[in-house]
Coordinates of all heavy atoms in Angstrom, one line a residue:
A1 N -7.8 -44.9 3.2 CA -9.0 -45.3 3.9 C -8.6 -46.1 5.2 O -7.6 -46.7 5.3 CB -9.8 -46.3 3.0
I2 N -9.6 -46.0 6.1 CA -9.4 -46.8 7.4 C -10.6 -47.7 7.4 O -11.7 -47.4 7.1 CB -9.5 -45.9 8.6 CG1 -8.2 -45.1 8.6 CG2 -9.7 -46.6 9.9 CD1 -8.1 -44.2 9.8
F3 N -10.3 -49.0 7.9 CA -11.4 -50.0 8.1 C -11.5 -50.2 9.6 O -10.5 -50.2 10.3 CB -11.0 -51.3 7.4 CG -11.1 -51.2 5.9 CD1 -9.9 -50.8 5.2 CD2 -12.2 -51.5 5.2 CE1 -10.0 -50.7 3.8 CE2 -12.2 -51.5 3.8 CZ -11.1 -51.1 3.1
S4 N -12.7 -50.4 10.1 CA -13.0 -50.7 11.5 C -14.0 -51.8 11.6 O -14.9 -51.9 10.8 CB -13.5 -49.5 12.2 OG -14.7 -49.0 11.7
G5 N -13.7 -52.7 12.5 CA -14.6 -53.8 12.8 C -15.4 -53.4 14.1 O -14.9 -52.7 14.9
S6 N -16.6 -54.0 14.3 CA -17.5 -53.6 15.3 C -18.2 -54.7 16.0 O -18.3 -55.9 15.5 CB -18.5 -52.6 14.8 OG -19.4 -52.2 15.8
L7 N -18.7 -54.4 17.2 CA -19.5 -55.4 18.0 C -20.8 -55.8 17.3 O -21.4 -56.8 17.6 CB -19.8 -54.9 19.4 CG -18.5 -54.6 20.2 CD1 -18.9 -54.1 21.6 CD2 -17.6 -55.8 20.4
D8 N -21.3 -54.9 16.3 CA -22.5 -55.2 15.6 C -22.3 -56.2 14.5 O -23.2 -56.5 13.7 CB -23.2 -53.9 15.2 CG -22.4 -53.1 14.2 OD1 -21.4 -53.6 13.7 OD2 -22.9 -52.0 13.8
G9 N -21.1 -56.6 14.3 CA -20.8 -57.6 13.2 C -20.5 -56.9 11.8 O -20.3 -57.6 10.9
A10 N -20.4 -55.6 11.8 CA -20.2 -54.9 10.6 C -18.8 -54.4 10.5 O -18.1 -54.2 11.5 CB -21.1 -53.7 10.5
I11 N -18.3 -54.1 9.3 CA -17.0 -53.5 9.0 C -17.3 -52.2 8.3 O -18.2 -52.1 7.4 CB -16.2 -54.4 8.1 CG1 -15.9 -55.7 8.8 CG2 -14.9 -53.7 7.7 CD1 -15.5 -56.8 7.8
K12 N -16.7 -51.1 8.7 CA -16.9 -49.8 8.1 C -15.6 -49.4 7.4 O -14.5 -49.6 7.9 CB -17.2 -48.8 9.2 CG -18.4 -49.1 10.1 CD -19.7 -48.8 9.4 CE -20.9 -49.0 10.4 NZ -22.1 -48.8 9.8
K13 N -15.9 -48.8 6.2 CA -14.8 -48.2 5.4 C -14.9 -46.7 5.5 O -15.9 -46.2 5.0 CB -14.8 -48.7 4.0 CG -13.6 -48.2 3.2 CD -13.6 -48.8 1.8 CE -12.5 -48.3 0.9 NZ -12.5 -48.8 -0.4
W14 N -14.0 -46.1 6.1 CA -14.0 -44.6 6.2 C -13.0 -44.0 5.2 O -11.9 -44.4 5.1 CB -13.5 -44.2 7.6 CG -14.3 -44.9 8.7 CD1 -14.0 -46.1 9.3 CD2 -15.6 -44.5 9.2 NE1 -15.0 -46.4 10.2 CE2 -16.0 -45.4 10.2 CE3 -16.4 -43.4 9.0 CZ2 -17.1 -45.3 10.9 CZ3 -17.6 -43.3 9.7 CH2 -17.9 -44.2 10.7
W15 N -13.5 -43.1 4.4 CA -12.7 -42.6 3.3 C -12.0 -41.3 3.6 O -10.8 -41.2 3.6 CB -13.6 -42.4 2.0 CG -12.8 -42.0 0.8 CD1 -12.8 -40.8 0.3 CD2 -11.9 -42.8 0.1 NE1 -11.9 -40.8 -0.8 CE2 -11.3 -42.0 -0.9 CE3 -11.4 -44.1 0.2 CZ2 -10.4 -42.4 -1.8 CZ3 -10.5 -44.5 -0.7 CH2 -10.0 -43.7 -1.7
D16 N -12.8 -40.3 4.0 CA -12.3 -39.0 4.2 C -12.0 -38.8 5.7 O -13.0 -38.6 6.5 CB -13.2 -37.9 3.7 CG -12.6 -36.5 3.7 OD1 -11.7 -36.3 4.6 OD2 -13.0 -35.7 2.9
L17 N -10.8 -38.9 6.1 CA -10.4 -38.8 7.5 C -10.7 -37.4 8.1 O -10.8 -37.3 9.3 CB -9.0 -39.3 7.7 CG -8.7 -40.7 7.2 CD1 -7.2 -41.1 7.5 CD2 -9.6 -41.7 7.8
K18 N -10.6 -36.4 7.3 CA -10.9 -35.1 7.8 C -12.3 -34.8 8.2 O -12.7 -34.2 9.2 CB -10.4 -34.0 6.8 CG -8.9 -34.0 6.6 CD -8.5 -32.9 5.7 CE -6.9 -33.0 5.5 NZ -6.5 -32.0 4.5
T19 N -13.2 -35.3 7.3 CA -14.6 -35.1 7.5 C -15.3 -36.3 8.3 O -16.3 -36.2 8.8 CB -15.4 -34.9 6.2 OG1 -15.3 -36.2 5.5 CG2 -14.8 -33.8 5.4
G20 N -14.6 -37.4 8.3 CA -15.2 -38.6 8.9 C -16.3 -39.3 8.1 O -17.0 -40.1 8.6
D21 N -16.3 -38.9 6.8 CA -17.4 -39.5 6.0 C -17.2 -41.0 5.8 O -16.1 -41.5 5.6 CB -17.4 -38.9 4.6 CG -17.9 -37.4 4.6 OD1 -18.5 -37.0 5.6 OD2 -17.6 -36.7 3.6
L22 N -18.3 -41.7 6.0 CA -18.4 -43.2 5.8 C -18.5 -43.5 4.3 O -19.4 -43.0 3.7 CB -19.5 -43.7 6.6 CG -19.8 -45.2 6.5 CD1 -18.6 -46.0 7.0 CD2 -21.1 -45.6 7.2
M23 N -17.7 -44.4 3.8 CA -17.8 -44.7 2.4 C -18.6 -46.0 2.2 O -19.4 -46.0 1.3 CB -16.4 -45.0 1.9 CG -16.3 -45.3 0.4 SD -14.6 -45.4 -0.2 CE -14.9 -45.5 -1.9
K24 N -18.5 -47.0 3.1 CA -19.2 -48.2 2.9 C -19.3 -49.0 4.1 O -18.4 -48.9 5.0 CB -18.5 -49.0 1.8 CG -19.3 -50.3 1.4 CD -18.8 -50.7 0.0 CE -19.7 -51.8 -0.5 NZ -20.5 -51.5 -1.6
T25 N -20.4 -49.8 4.3 CA -20.6 -50.7 5.4 C -20.6 -52.1 4.8 O -21.3 -52.4 3.9 CB -21.9 -50.5 6.2 OG1 -21.8 -49.1 6.7 CG2 -22.0 -51.5 7.3
L26 N -19.7 -53.0 5.3 CA -19.7 -54.4 4.8 C -20.4 -55.2 5.9 O -20.0 -55.2 7.1 CB -18.2 -54.8 4.7 CG -17.4 -54.3 3.6 CD1 -17.3 -52.8 3.6 CD2 -16.0 -54.9 3.6
E27 N -21.4 -55.9 5.5 CA -22.2 -56.7 6.4 C -22.2 -58.2 6.0 O -22.2 -58.5 4.8 CB -23.6 -56.2 6.4 CG -23.7 -54.8 7.0 CD -25.2 -54.3 7.0 OE1 -25.9 -54.5 6.1 OE2 -25.5 -53.6 8.0
G28 N -22.1 -59.1 6.9 CA -22.0 -60.5 6.6 C -21.8 -61.3 7.9 O -22.2 -62.5 7.9
H29 N -21.1 -60.8 8.8 CA -20.8 -61.5 10.1 C -22.1 -61.5 11.0 O -22.8 -60.5 11.0 CB -19.7 -60.9 10.9 CG -18.3 -61.3 10.3 ND1 -17.8 -62.6 10.3 CD2 -17.4 -60.6 9.6 CE1 -16.6 -62.6 9.8 NE2 -16.3 -61.4 9.3
S30 N -22.3 -62.6 11.7 CA -23.5 -62.6 12.6 C -23.1 -62.3 14.1 O -23.9 -62.4 14.9 CB -24.1 -64.0 12.5 OG -23.2 -65.0 12.9
D31 N -21.8 -62.0 14.3 CA -21.4 -61.7 15.7 C -20.2 -60.7 15.6 O -19.9 -60.2 14.5 CB -20.9 -62.9 16.4 CG -21.2 -62.9 17.9 OD1 -21.2 -61.8 18.5 OD2 -21.3 -64.0 18.5
Y32 N -19.6 -60.3 16.7 CA -18.5 -59.3 16.8 C -17.4 -59.6 15.7 O -17.0 -60.7 15.5 CB -17.9 -59.3 18.1 CG -18.7 -59.1 19.3 CD1 -18.2 -59.4 20.6 CD2 -20.0 -58.6 19.2 CE1 -19.0 -59.2 21.7 CE2 -20.8 -58.4 20.4 CZ -20.3 -58.7 21.6 OH -21.0 -58.5 22.7
V33 N -16.9 -58.5 15.2 CA -15.7 -58.5 14.3 C -14.5 -58.2 15.2 O -14.5 -57.0 15.7 CB -15.8 -57.6 13.1 CG1 -14.6 -57.6 12.3 CG2 -17.0 -58.0 12.2
N34 N -13.6 -59.1 15.4 CA -12.5 -58.9 16.3 C -11.2 -58.5 15.6 O -10.4 -57.8 16.3 CB -12.2 -60.2 17.0 CG -13.4 -60.7 17.8 OD1 -14.0 -59.9 18.5 ND2 -13.6 -62.0 17.8
T35 N -11.0 -58.8 14.4 CA -9.7 -58.6 13.7 C -9.9 -58.4 12.2 O -10.8 -58.9 11.6 CB -8.8 -59.7 14.0 OG1 -7.5 -59.4 13.5 CG2 -9.3 -61.1 13.5
L36 N -9.0 -57.5 11.7 CA -9.0 -57.3 10.2 C -7.5 -57.4 9.7 O -6.6 -57.0 10.5 CB -9.5 -55.9 9.9 CG -10.9 -55.5 10.3 CD1 -11.2 -54.1 10.1 CD2 -11.9 -56.4 9.5
A37 N -7.4 -57.8 8.5 CA -6.0 -57.9 7.9 C -6.2 -57.6 6.4 O -7.2 -58.1 5.8 CB -5.4 -59.3 8.1
I38 N -5.3 -56.8 5.9 CA -5.4 -56.3 4.5 C -4.3 -57.0 3.7 O -3.1 -57.0 4.1 CB -5.4 -54.8 4.4 CG1 -6.6 -54.2 5.0 CG2 -5.2 -54.4 2.9 CD1 -6.6 -52.7 5.0
S39 N -4.7 -57.5 2.5 CA -3.7 -58.0 1.6 C -3.8 -57.2 0.3 O -4.7 -57.3 -0.5 CB -4.0 -59.5 1.2 OG -3.1 -59.9 0.1
E40 N -2.8 -56.2 0.2 CA -2.8 -55.4 -1.0 C -2.5 -56.3 -2.3 O -3.1 -56.0 -3.3 CB -1.6 -54.4 -0.9 CG -1.8 -53.4 0.2 CD -2.8 -52.3 -0.2 OE1 -3.1 -52.1 -1.3 OE2 -3.2 -51.6 0.8
K41 N -1.7 -57.3 -2.1 CA -1.4 -58.2 -3.3 C -2.6 -58.9 -3.8 O -2.8 -59.0 -5.0 CB -0.4 -59.2 -2.8 CG 0.1 -60.2 -3.9 CD 1.2 -61.1 -3.4 CE 1.6 -62.1 -4.4 NZ 2.6 -63.0 -3.9
E42 N -3.5 -59.4 -2.9 CA -4.7 -60.0 -3.3 C -5.9 -59.1 -3.5 O -6.9 -59.5 -4.0 CB -5.1 -61.1 -2.2 CG -4.1 -62.2 -2.0 CD -4.0 -63.1 -3.2 OE1 -5.0 -63.3 -3.9 OE2 -2.8 -63.5 -3.5
G43 N -5.7 -57.8 -3.1 CA -6.8 -56.9 -3.3 C -7.9 -57.2 -2.4 O -9.1 -57.1 -2.7
A44 N -7.6 -57.7 -1.1 CA -8.7 -58.2 -0.2 C -8.4 -57.7 1.2 O -7.3 -57.4 1.6 CB -8.7 -59.7 -0.3
I45 N -9.5 -57.6 1.9 CA -9.5 -57.4 3.4 C -10.2 -58.7 4.0 O -11.2 -59.2 3.5 CB -10.2 -56.1 3.8 CG1 -10.1 -56.0 5.3 CG2 -11.6 -56.1 3.3 CD1 -10.5 -54.6 5.8
F46 N -9.5 -59.2 5.0 CA -10.0 -60.4 5.7 C -10.5 -59.9 7.1 O -9.9 -59.1 7.8 CB -8.9 -61.4 5.9 CG -8.4 -62.0 4.6 CD1 -7.4 -61.3 3.8 CD2 -9.0 -63.1 4.0 CE1 -7.0 -61.8 2.6 CE2 -8.6 -63.6 2.8 CZ -7.6 -63.0 2.1
S47 N -11.6 -60.6 7.5 CA -12.2 -60.2 8.9 C -12.4 -61.5 9.6 O -12.8 -62.6 9.1 CB -13.5 -59.5 8.7 OG -14.4 -60.2 7.9
G48 N -12.1 -61.5 10.9 CA -12.3 -62.6 11.8 C -13.3 -62.2 12.9 O -13.3 -61.1 13.3
S49 N -14.2 -63.2 13.2 CA -15.3 -62.8 14.0 C -15.6 -63.9 15.1 O -15.1 -65.0 15.1 CB -16.6 -62.7 13.1 OG -17.8 -62.6 13.8
D50 N -16.4 -63.4 16.1 CA -16.9 -64.3 17.1 C -17.9 -65.4 16.5 O -18.3 -66.3 17.2 CB -17.7 -63.5 18.2 CG -16.7 -63.0 19.3 OD1 -15.5 -63.1 19.1 OD2 -17.2 -62.4 20.3
D51 N -18.3 -65.2 15.3 CA -19.2 -66.2 14.7 C -18.4 -67.4 14.1 O -18.9 -68.2 13.4 CB -20.1 -65.6 13.6 CG -19.3 -65.1 12.3 OD1 -18.1 -65.3 12.2 OD2 -19.9 -64.4 11.5
K52 N -17.1 -67.4 14.5 CA -16.2 -68.5 14.2 C -15.8 -68.6 12.7 O -15.3 -69.6 12.2 CB -16.8 -69.8 14.6 CG -17.1 -69.9 16.1 CD -17.8 -71.1 16.5 CE -18.4 -71.0 17.9 NZ -19.2 -72.2 18.2
T53 N -16.0 -67.5 11.9 CA -15.6 -67.5 10.5 C -14.6 -66.4 10.2 O -14.4 -65.4 11.0 CB -16.8 -67.3 9.6 OG1 -17.3 -65.9 9.8 CG2 -18.0 -68.3 9.9
I54 N -14.0 -66.6 9.0 CA -13.1 -65.6 8.4 C -13.8 -65.2 7.1 O -14.2 -66.2 6.4 CB -11.7 -66.1 8.2 CG1 -11.0 -66.5 9.5 CG2 -10.9 -65.0 7.4 CD1 -9.8 -67.3 9.3
K55 N -13.9 -64.0 6.8 CA -14.5 -63.6 5.6 C -13.5 -62.8 4.7 O -12.7 -62.0 5.3 CB -15.8 -62.7 5.8 CG -16.9 -63.6 6.4 CD -18.2 -62.9 6.4 CE -19.3 -63.7 7.1 NZ -19.7 -64.9 6.3
E56 N -13.6 -63.0 3.4 CA -12.7 -62.3 2.5 C -13.6 -61.3 1.7 O -14.6 -61.7 1.1 CB -12.0 -63.3 1.6 CG -11.1 -62.6 0.6 CD -10.4 -63.5 -0.4 OE1 -10.5 -64.8 -0.2 OE2 -9.7 -63.1 -1.3
W57 N -13.2 -60.1 1.7 CA -13.9 -59.0 1.0 C -13.0 -58.4 -0.1 O -11.8 -58.2 0.1 CB -14.3 -57.9 2.0 CG -14.9 -58.4 3.3 CD1 -14.3 -58.9 4.4 CD2 -16.3 -58.5 3.5 NE1 -15.2 -59.2 5.3 CE2 -16.5 -59.0 4.9 CE3 -17.5 -58.2 2.8 CZ2 -17.7 -59.2 5.4 CZ3 -18.7 -58.4 3.4 CH2 -18.8 -58.9 4.7
N58 N -13.6 -58.0 -1.2 CA -12.9 -57.2 -2.2 C -12.5 -55.9 -1.6 O -13.4 -55.1 -1.1 CB -13.8 -57.1 -3.4 CG -13.0 -56.4 -4.5 OD1 -12.8 -55.1 -4.5 ND2 -12.6 -57.1 -5.6
L59 N -11.3 -55.5 -1.7 CA -10.8 -54.3 -1.0 C -11.4 -53.0 -1.7 O -11.7 -52.1 -1.0 CB -9.2 -54.2 -1.1 CG -8.5 -53.2 -0.4 CD1 -8.8 -53.2 1.1 CD2 -7.0 -53.3 -0.6
K60 N -11.6 -53.0 -3.0 CA -12.1 -51.8 -3.7 C -13.7 -51.7 -3.6 O -14.2 -50.7 -3.3 CB -11.7 -51.8 -5.1 CG -10.2 -51.6 -5.2 CD -9.7 -51.4 -6.6 CE -8.2 -51.2 -6.7 NZ -7.7 -51.0 -8.0
T61 N -14.4 -52.9 -3.8 CA -15.8 -52.8 -3.9 C -16.5 -53.1 -2.6 O -17.7 -52.7 -2.4 CB -16.3 -53.8 -5.0 OG1 -16.1 -55.2 -4.5 CG2 -15.7 -53.6 -6.3
G62 N -15.8 -53.8 -1.7 CA -16.4 -54.2 -0.5 C -17.3 -55.5 -0.6 O -17.9 -55.9 0.4
D63 N -17.3 -56.1 -1.8 CA -18.1 -57.3 -2.0 C -17.5 -58.5 -1.2 O -16.3 -58.7 -1.2 CB -18.2 -57.6 -3.5 CG -19.0 -56.6 -4.3 OD1 -19.8 -55.9 -3.7 OD2 -18.8 -56.6 -5.5
L64 N -18.4 -59.3 -0.6 CA -18.0 -60.5 0.0 C -17.6 -61.5 -1.0 O -18.3 -61.8 -1.9 CB -19.1 -61.1 0.9 CG -18.8 -62.4 1.6 CD1 -17.7 -62.2 2.6 CD2 -20.1 -62.8 2.4
M65 N -16.3 -62.0 -0.9 CA -15.8 -63.0 -1.9 C -15.9 -64.4 -1.4 O -16.2 -65.3 -2.2 CB -14.4 -62.6 -2.2 CG -14.3 -61.2 -2.9 SD -12.7 -60.4 -3.0 CE -11.6 -61.6 -3.6
K66 N -15.7 -64.7 -0.1 CA -15.8 -66.0 0.4 C -15.8 -66.0 1.9 O -15.4 -65.1 2.5 CB -14.7 -67.0 -0.1 CG -13.3 -66.7 0.4 CD -12.3 -67.7 -0.1 CE -11.9 -67.4 -1.5 NZ -10.7 -68.0 -2.0
T67 N -16.3 -67.1 2.5 CA -16.4 -67.3 3.9 C -15.6 -68.6 4.2 O -15.8 -69.6 3.6 CB -17.8 -67.4 4.4 OG1 -18.5 -66.2 4.1 CG2 -17.9 -67.7 5.9
L68 N -14.7 -68.5 5.1 CA -13.8 -69.6 5.5 C -14.3 -70.1 6.9 O -14.5 -69.3 7.8 CB -12.4 -69.2 5.6 CG -11.8 -68.6 4.4 CD1 -10.4 -68.1 4.7 CD2 -11.8 -69.5 3.2
E69 N -14.6 -71.4 7.0 CA -15.1 -72.0 8.2 C -14.2 -73.0 8.7 O -13.4 -73.6 7.9 CB -16.5 -72.6 8.0 CG -17.5 -71.5 7.6 CD -18.9 -72.1 7.3 OE1 -19.1 -73.4 7.4 OE2 -19.8 -71.4 7.1
G70 N -14.2 -73.3 10.0 CA -13.3 -74.4 10.5 C -12.9 -74.2 12.0 O -12.5 -75.1 12.6
H71 N -13.1 -73.0 12.5 CA -12.8 -72.7 13.9 C -13.9 -73.2 14.8 O -15.1 -73.2 14.4 CB -12.6 -71.2 14.1 CG -11.2 -70.7 13.7 ND1 -10.1 -70.9 14.5 CD2 -10.8 -70.1 12.6 CE1 -9.1 -70.3 13.9 NE2 -9.5 -69.9 12.7
S72 N -13.6 -73.7 15.9 CA -14.6 -74.2 16.9 C -14.9 -73.1 17.9 O -15.7 -73.3 18.8 CB -14.1 -75.5 17.6 OG -12.9 -75.2 18.3
D73 N -14.2 -72.0 17.8 CA -14.4 -70.9 18.7 C -14.1 -69.5 18.0 O -13.8 -69.6 16.8 CB -13.5 -71.0 20.0 CG -14.2 -70.4 21.2 OD1 -15.1 -69.6 21.1 OD2 -13.8 -70.8 22.4
Y74 N -14.1 -68.4 18.7 CA -13.9 -67.1 18.2 C -12.6 -67.0 17.4 O -11.6 -67.6 17.7 CB -13.8 -66.1 19.3 CG -15.0 -66.0 20.2 CD1 -14.8 -65.6 21.5 CD2 -16.3 -66.4 19.8 CE1 -15.9 -65.5 22.4 CE2 -17.3 -66.4 20.7 CZ -17.1 -66.0 22.0 OH -18.2 -65.9 22.9
V75 N -12.6 -66.2 16.3 CA -11.4 -65.8 15.6 C -11.0 -64.5 16.1 O -11.6 -63.5 15.9 CB -11.7 -65.8 14.0 CG1 -10.4 -65.4 13.3 CG2 -12.2 -67.1 13.5
N76 N -9.8 -64.4 16.8 CA -9.4 -63.2 17.4 C -8.2 -62.5 16.7 O -8.0 -61.3 16.9 CB -8.9 -63.5 18.9 CG -10.1 -63.9 19.7 OD1 -11.1 -63.2 19.7 ND2 -10.0 -65.0 20.5
T77 N -7.4 -63.2 15.9 CA -6.3 -62.6 15.3 C -6.1 -63.2 13.9 O -6.3 -64.4 13.7 CB -5.0 -62.9 16.1 OG1 -5.2 -62.5 17.5 CG2 -3.8 -62.2 15.6
L78 N -5.7 -62.4 13.0 CA -5.3 -62.8 11.6 C -3.9 -62.2 11.3 O -3.6 -61.1 11.7 CB -6.3 -62.2 10.6 CG -7.8 -62.7 10.7 CD1 -8.6 -62.0 9.7 CD2 -7.9 -64.2 10.5
A79 N -3.2 -63.0 10.5 CA -1.9 -62.6 10.0 C -1.8 -63.1 8.6 O -2.2 -64.2 8.3 CB -0.7 -63.1 10.9
I80 N -1.2 -62.2 7.7 CA -1.1 -62.6 6.3 C 0.4 -62.7 6.0 O 1.2 -61.9 6.3 CB -1.8 -61.5 5.4 CG1 -3.3 -61.5 5.6 CG2 -1.4 -61.8 3.9 CD1 -4.0 -60.4 4.9
S81 N 0.7 -63.8 5.2 CA 2.0 -63.9 4.7 C 1.9 -63.7 3.2 O 1.4 -64.6 2.5 CB 2.6 -65.3 5.0 OG 3.8 -65.5 4.2
E82 N 2.2 -62.6 2.7 CA 2.2 -62.3 1.2 C 3.1 -63.2 0.5 O 2.8 -63.7 -0.6 CB 2.5 -60.8 0.9 CG 1.6 -59.8 1.6 CD 0.3 -59.6 0.8 OE1 0.1 -60.2 -0.2 OE2 -0.4 -58.7 1.2
K83 N 4.3 -63.5 1.0 CA 5.2 -64.4 0.4 C 4.7 -65.8 0.2 O 4.8 -66.4 -0.8 CB 6.5 -64.4 1.2 CG 7.6 -65.3 0.6 CD 8.9 -65.2 1.4 CE 10.0 -66.1 0.8 NZ 11.2 -66.1 1.6
E84 N 4.0 -66.3 1.3 CA 3.5 -67.7 1.2 C 2.1 -67.7 0.6 O 1.6 -68.8 0.2 CB 3.4 -68.3 2.6 CG 4.7 -68.4 3.3 CD 5.6 -69.4 2.7 OE1 5.1 -70.4 2.2 OE2 6.8 -69.2 2.6
G85 N 1.5 -66.5 0.4 CA 0.1 -66.5 -0.1 C -0.9 -67.1 0.8 O -1.8 -67.8 0.4
A86 N -0.7 -66.9 2.1 CA -1.5 -67.6 3.1 C -2.0 -66.6 4.2 O -1.4 -65.6 4.4 CB -0.7 -68.7 3.8
I87 N -3.1 -67.0 4.8 CA -3.6 -66.3 6.0 C -3.6 -67.2 7.1 O -4.0 -68.4 7.0 CB -5.0 -65.6 5.7 CG1 -5.4 -64.8 6.9 CG2 -6.0 -66.7 5.3 CD1 -6.6 -63.9 6.6
F88 N -3.2 -66.7 8.3 CA -3.1 -67.5 9.5 C -4.1 -66.9 10.5 O -4.2 -65.7 10.7 CB -1.7 -67.5 10.1 CG -0.7 -68.1 9.1 CD1 0.0 -67.2 8.2 CD2 -0.4 -69.4 9.1 CE1 0.9 -67.7 7.3 CE2 0.5 -69.9 8.2 CZ 1.1 -69.1 7.3
S89 N -4.8 -67.8 11.3 CA -5.7 -67.4 12.3 C -5.6 -68.2 13.6 O -5.0 -69.2 13.6 CB -7.1 -67.5 11.7 OG -7.4 -68.9 11.4

């Protein structure tokens, strides 16, 4: 699958790359989605947005698991350390 973030605040999960069929739309951000990071170990996808939040989504179901707040400006980059069990923004 491929995940894409968008200016409309949504994340799209594309399943069939040959047909381009859309599998799911993840909605929850109120502004642009700038960055995505996947943690296979945690079974999660993380998204960073201009709404100053990071959201954690269930990789299989697409359900929103939690919202992380604390930035005073846009979240532009995410990096995951599987070894440390941490996400950096």
Side-chain angles (χ1 to χ4, degrees):
I2 289 183
F3 291 87
S4 61
S6 178
L7 299 181
D8 64 4
I11 300 162
K12 304 281 188 185
K13 181 178 182 180
W14 306 92
W15 184 252
D16 189 332
L17 301 181
K18 291 181 183 178
T19 66
D21 289 343
L22 176 65
M23 185 174 188
K24 187 157 189 114
T25 300
L26 288 59
E27 296 179 321
H29 283 290
S30 61
D31 211 335
Y32 303 166
V33 175
N34 298 319
T35 184
L36 300 172
I38 294 175
S39 172
E40 296 280 346
K41 183 178 177 182
E42 297 296 322
I45 182 166
F46 296 87
S47 54
S49 171
D50 277 8
D51 67 8
K52 305 174 189 172
T53 68
I54 299 167
K55 294 192 181 290
E56 179 181 354
W57 311 84
N58 182 288
L59 191 56
K60 291 186 181 183
T61 66
D63 293 338
L64 179 60
M65 295 163 49
K66 69 177 77 162
T67 300
L68 306 173
E69 299 178 355
H71 281 278
S72 61
D73 211 339
Y74 306 151
V75 180
N76 291 315
T77 305
L78 296 174
I80 294 173
S81 171
E82 297 280 3
K83 183 178 179 183
E84 299 294 323
I87 184 164
F88 300 91
S89 58

